[in-house]
Amino acid sequence: MGDHFQTIVDIDAAPGQAQELGARVVAWLVAEGVVCAEQRYEMLGRPVYSPGPRWDEVAQWPARDGCDGLAVVTGRTVFWGSLGCDGAPLCPGCAAPAPTAPWPQAVDDWYRTGVAVLRCPGCGDAQALPEWGWQEDRFALAHLGFEVWNAARLRPEFVAGFARVLGHRIRTVAGRL
């Protein structure tokens, strides 16, 4: 069976903004009754907030066992989706997929340094790696994300609310361990 997760990733947050933006989203979620104000526990140094009284309203169906809460992830992170999928990066300009090499090295470079560029095999444009989309929503590279563990799929309109509150573009990744 295993654990499953959904992560809403702010792909535009600068490193120095992540803490403040994370707090803004948590305040919104608390005000809406989606999560509780107190941290339930920490997971890998990340604060985890318990589901609030209106949690089931943001999920596509009521969860029998609720959910394990929402974790706020700040700092340079490679947010990953389903392991083992064959998704490749997609050029932000023309949507052509990048070949297997060199993108795995570019992901490693970005994680270590915060800088990596890929050149599109289709249009020839060179773009910063975090700008690239991913087939199968495999990865998102960013400094801020909101992980939800073991919950029913989130409603699209709720996910869109993150973009409104943040004022940034978002991506979602999901998977199962």
Side-chain angles (χ1 to χ4, degrees), residues 5-150:
F5 60 91
Q6 304 163 73
T7 308
I8 301 164
V9 181
D10 180 335
I11 60 171
D12 292 330
Q17 297 177 303
Q19 294 283 343
E20 177 187 334
L21 290 170
R24 180 189 307 170
V25 168
V26 169
W28 167 63
L29 294 172
V30 168
E32 293 293 319
V34 175
V35 299
C36 297
E38 64 281 347
Q39 293 178 22
R40 181 171 165 185
Y41 57 90
E42 284 198 9
M43 177 175 60
L44 302 173
R46 304 166 178 169
V48 177
Y49 298 88
S50 297
R54 295 187 59 211
W55 180 264
D56 281 344
E57 294 174 30
V58 303
Q60 290 187 358
W61 58 86
R64 279 184 303 194
D65 300 321
C67 87
D68 290 343
L70 177 131
V72 179
V73 182
T74 58
R76 187 180 316 129
T77 305
V78 178
F79 295 96
W80 52 274
S82 295
L83 293 176
C85 70
D86 294 326
L90 301 171
C91 174
C94 72
T100 301
W103 73 259
Q105 183 60 50
V107 170
D108 289 344
D109 292 347
W110 183 85
Y111 183 71
R112 274 193 334 277
T113 68
V115 178
V117 174
L118 271 183
R119 183 165 302 282
C120 177
C123 67
D125 257 0
Q127 296 281 339
L129 189 59
E131 292 297 318
W132 288 65
W134 296 84
Q135 293 172 332
E136 309 291 328
D137 296 324
R138 187 173 185 183
F139 293 109
L141 289 76
H143 299 275
L144 177 61
F146 303 89
E147 292 177 342
V148 178
W149 284 88
N150 298 317

